[in-house]
Amino acid sequence: MKIIGQALLGAAMFHILYFLSSLAVGYVKTVTYRPNFSSAWENTGNLQSTVSFGTVTSPVFYIGTFLATALVCGLMLIAYKKLTSLPCRTETEGRQQPKR
């Protein structure tokens, strides 16, 4: 159960980082946006009458990515634990120690 909890925590951390980076990019784009008023004034026929703020993704997609990320994190944790539990071979293991 410990690995499952760690995998879920890892998936949550990845998703939080994803959402925070998306918010940061949007904030920077909003702050640094400088409209070109002269160009917009000359081309009044091309102005839009509606505003769209990004896209909407289904919550099922986020649940699927969360579970897939948790699975990958769990597999990485299992592989890490198996690799660190292997006995280490040293140079002196193959040689016989002199008797005293």
Side-chain angles (χ1 to χ4, degrees):
M1 282 307 260
K2 186 175 179 183
I3 291 179
I4 294 173
Q6 289 174 343
L8 291 174
L9 182 65
M13 287 174 44
F14 278 119
H15 279 74
I16 288 170
L17 284 173
Y18 170 75
F19 287 119
L20 288 178
S21 63
S22 296
L23 287 173
V25 167
Y27 178 75
V28 169
K29 282 184 175 183
T30 301
V31 170
T32 60
Y33 176 71
R34 300 286 181 245
N36 187 354
F37 289 116
S38 61
S39 174
W41 185 261
E42 293 171 2
N43 300 325
T44 56
N46 294 336
L47 296 178
Q48 296 179 351
S49 60
T50 61
V51 177
S52 175
F53 292 102
T55 59
V56 178
T57 306
S58 171
V60 175
F61 175 75
Y62 288 120
I63 292 170
T65 59
F66 183 83
L67 293 175
T69 307
L71 179 68
V72 169
C73 287
L75 292 174
M76 288 174 58
L77 285 169
I78 290 169
Y80 176 75
K81 290 192 186 241
K82 285 191 184 223
L83 286 174
T84 56
S85 67
L86 291 176
C88 296
R89 269 188 73 107
T90 61
E91 284 185 34
T92 59
E93 263 186 358
R95 294 188 235 156
Q96 290 181 351
Q97 298 294 327
K99 294 183 182 179
R100 293 185 182 192

